[in-house]
Amino acid sequence: MMNRTIRNTLTVAALLISQSVGRSAIAVGNDAAPPPVSIKSITISDTALHTRYKEAPFIFGTFSLTNHGVTDMLLRGITSPGCNSVTSNRSSQVAIQSPRQTYDIFQRMAVPHEGTLVFPISGYHLICHGLKVPYQPGNKLDFTFHFQDVGDVTASFTMQPIVEEKHVGP
């Protein structure tokens, strides 16, 4: 009888020790440093600039933003040497309002890891206020995307043909 009790006690002890070792191995695995965050994980594609009339004081920018990394990143803003300012807009907002009158999603936007965000003209997109260069279809304009603690990515946007619309603008 005693041998059986000792054997059961040893079996239970061995089981508990093996579970404890397994947990330690898992804990050590979880304490490993996360992979380094790299600006090289970001790509900006499908870039285009649009306007609805030739003398517009602003232009629309559409693009896709992909984070190929395993860590979320934080976009802190977008700038361009060809614009007085760059903000966000949604197609249902009044596009000609000043940058101070609208909330800019690009000032603090999480870009999820292994994810793509698309900014079409029919949804949220960027607005270049105070275009400093003539709008000429085929020309390019650079925009720099600023990411917190990681760096910047510059993408070239191509000006598309003008789609004239009556009753648009000031």
Side-chain angles (χ1 to χ4, degrees):
M1 182 91 158
M2 189 144 203
N3 276 342
R4 187 179 218 160
T5 303
I6 292 174
R7 194 171 17 156
N8 286 345
T9 303
L10 290 175
T11 302
V12 169
L15 179 64
L16 291 174
I17 289 171
S18 69
Q19 286 180 344
S20 175
V21 169
R23 281 193 199 118
S24 296
I26 291 170
V28 168
N30 287 341
D31 289 343
V37 179
S38 172
I39 199 66
K40 293 178 183 177
S41 298
I42 295 291
T43 58
I44 302 163
S45 58
D46 305 320
T47 58
L49 294 172
H50 312 269
T51 189
R52 293 189 177 129
Y53 60 103
K54 191 170 181 137
E55 302 303 322
F58 57 88
I59 55 176
F60 303 90
T62 58
F63 61 97
S64 295
L65 175 60
T66 302
N67 178 356
H68 301 278
V70 295
T71 305
D72 295 351
M73 292 196 194
L74 185 64
L75 179 63
R76 295 301 304 205
I78 302 172
T79 58
S80 174
C83 307
N84 286 333
S85 64
V86 178
T87 63
S88 64
N89 196 40
R90 191 176 61 214
S91 58
S92 63
Q93 289 177 311
V94 176
I96 60 173
Q97 61 192 4
S98 79
R100 290 178 296 280
Q101 294 173 313
T102 185
Y103 174 71
D104 182 11
I105 64 169
F106 300 134
Q107 290 299 315
R108 189 165 174 81
M109 183 179 67
V111 182
H113 62 284
E114 298 176 350
T116 298
L117 302 174
V118 178
F119 298 92
I121 203 147
S122 61
Y124 276 102
H125 49 268
L126 69 79
I127 293 286
C128 166
H129 296 273
L131 183 62
K132 297 178 181 178
V133 297
Y135 190 94
Q136 183 64 41
N139 283 357
K140 296 188 180 292
L141 186 61
D142 287 343
F143 288 82
T144 302
F145 293 68
H146 307 281
F147 292 89
Q148 183 171 312
D149 300 328
V150 183
D152 300 338
V153 175
T154 299
S156 190
F157 284 61
T158 303
M159 296 178 186
Q160 302 301 305
I162 298 170
V163 178
E164 292 277 348
E165 289 187 16
K166 294 181 181 182
H167 310 297
V168 176

